[in-house]
Amino acid sequence: MNTVLSRANSLFAFSLSVMAFLTFGCFITTAFKDRSVPVNIHISRVMLKNVDDFTGPRERSDLGFVTFDITADLNPIFDWNVKQLFLYLSAEYATKNNALNQVVLWDKIILRGENTNLSLKDMKSKYFFFDDGSGLRGNKNITLTLSWNVVPNAGILPLVTGSGHISVPFPDSYEMSKNY
Amino acid sequence: MMMLKNLPFVNSINTHMDYKGQKLAEQIFQSIIVASAVAGFIYGFIVEQFGWTVYIVLAGFALSCLLTLPPWPVFRRHPLKWQPSVEAPAETREKQPESVKKSKKHK
């Protein structure tokens, strides 16, 4: 503390410690918050095809096309420890080969300060809904859920599933037309 | 830093504080930073922007830099009072032979 440099050193070290403590406070004030909100998913159209899957086992596989609407108010999730949300819509179903299949159909990033009121109509999936065989045809229970990753300033990166999901049956026959 | 210290001009700047001044400086910057941290935390929590907390703490940091880094006269009010110097060369001359004897004993 006798020279400018030693004073600057202790001042800087003390400020950094205080800042670290505040960051921990930011984490602890939001750590036990429930970040699940109700989500309303509606499926307007389902189409099923059987096409060559060049990415997978090089056999004909089931390819589903789902058109959906999503409405959700995500504003309660945001607080001072949230930088962005990574939303993703996943389809879950069971087949003979696998007890649980999960396929991500669509995703979206919502940054802090953007419109948090999600209202999407007639959305097409962003990614291919491929099964690894013919497990989609005639499957009576394909469940769509919206989940999100909460990206915080400090602390853990929680994975939250929205309450509210929808289950649809898939058709028993394939669509034969060539246009996708 | 070594480059700076080698310059005679920089070396001639006197930045010391006396002991009471150092204590006062430390108390000042600690209280300013803690106060700005508490204020920033509350304000950031209310407006839900952690960025504001960081800015307010940085403002406290800048203020305390300004107040405690330069050796303001407030921190030099209690200079140390040294004892007047004593004539000593005669004593040291007398002691020299003793030390020579001691070293011989050890051998």
Side-chain angles (χ1 to χ4, degrees):
Chain A
M1 291 293 290
N2 196 35
T3 62
V4 169
L5 280 181
S6 66
R7 283 196 293 274
N9 181 33
S10 47
L11 186 47
F12 188 66
F14 184 71
S15 307
L16 266 187
S17 311
V18 168
M19 201 81 95
F21 182 79
L22 288 181
T23 313
F24 181 78
C26 178
F27 156 66
I28 211 76
T29 50
T30 54
F32 307 106
K33 196 182 154 186
D34 180 23
R35 297 193 191 274
S36 185
V37 295
V39 177
N40 193 8
I41 306 173
H42 174 72
I43 296 179
S44 48
R45 204 161 71 94
V46 173
M47 190 171 76
L48 182 63
K49 288 182 183 231
N50 191 247
V51 295
D52 284 318
D53 181 4
F54 297 109
T55 63
R58 297 191 177 275
E59 288 165 11
R60 290 178 80 81
S61 301
D62 282 4
L63 176 61
F65 293 87
V66 178
T67 310
F68 52 89
D69 308 331
I70 299 176
T71 49
D73 183 18
L74 303 171
N75 198 40
I77 304 171
F78 280 90
D79 53 42
W80 73 333
N81 198 15
V82 177
K83 286 200 284 194
Q84 68 175 38
L85 294 183
F86 175 74
L87 308 173
Y88 59 95
L89 183 75
S90 56
E92 293 186 357
Y93 59 100
T95 56
K96 277 177 198 166
N97 298 334
N98 307 304
L100 176 65
N101 299 273
Q102 290 178 302
V103 183
V104 173
L105 303 185
W106 173 88
D107 58 27
K108 183 180 171 62
I109 290 172
I110 295 188
L111 297 175
R112 188 192 175 83
E114 286 181 359
N115 185 13
T116 52
N117 209 346
L118 203 65
S119 175
L120 302 163
K121 293 265 175 271
D122 283 332
M123 296 294 293
K124 288 200 168 68
S125 67
K126 235 169 154 178
Y127 310 111
F128 285 118
F129 185 9
F130 261 122
D131 185 51
D132 60 347
S134 56
L136 289 181
R137 187 174 66 134
N139 200 321
K140 293 297 165 216
N141 188 8
I142 293 189
T143 306
L144 297 192
T145 46
L146 188 71
S147 313
W148 46 85
N149 256 139
V150 182
V151 182
N153 286 318
I156 50 174
L157 194 81
L159 198 65
V160 186
T161 302
S163 61
H165 49 78
I166 189 167
S167 298
V168 283
F170 262 50
D172 293 329
S173 58
Y174 297 121
E175 195 97 10
M176 279 313 183
S177 64
K178 274 286 174 191
N179 57 327
Y180 288 90
Chain B
M1 280 290 95
M2 291 312 291
M3 293 282 285
L4 271 179
K5 277 189 176 173
N6 288 339
L7 295 171
F9 167 71
V10 173
N11 231 5
S12 70
I13 302 175
N14 210 343
T15 64
H16 78 274
M17 293 178 177
D18 59 57
Y19 287 127
K20 288 194 174 175
Q22 292 176 28
K23 190 183 175 188
L24 180 66
E26 185 158 346
Q27 285 170 343
I28 286 177
F29 83 65
Q30 283 182 351
S31 47
I32 287 178
I33 287 173
V34 168
S36 67
V38 170
F41 193 83
I42 293 169
Y43 185 72
F45 189 78
I46 290 170
V47 300
E48 299 205 340
Q49 295 271 351
F50 189 68
W52 274 106
T53 308
V54 175
Y55 289 140
I56 290 171
V57 173
L58 285 181
F61 174 76
L63 178 66
S64 47
C65 276
L66 194 71
L67 287 182
T68 62
L69 287 192
W72 298 116
V74 194
F75 303 119
R76 288 180 166 186
R77 272 185 190 163
H78 306 276
L80 285 180
K81 282 166 191 154
W82 297 94
Q83 296 285 353
S85 59
V86 182
E87 287 288 326
E91 278 180 28
T92 49
R93 266 179 216 156
E94 278 176 21
K95 278 180 183 174
Q96 261 185 343
E98 265 181 41
S99 62
V100 172
K101 278 175 192 172
K102 274 180 185 173
S103 65
K104 275 183 181 175
K105 273 179 187 174
H106 282 294
K107 280 177 183 176

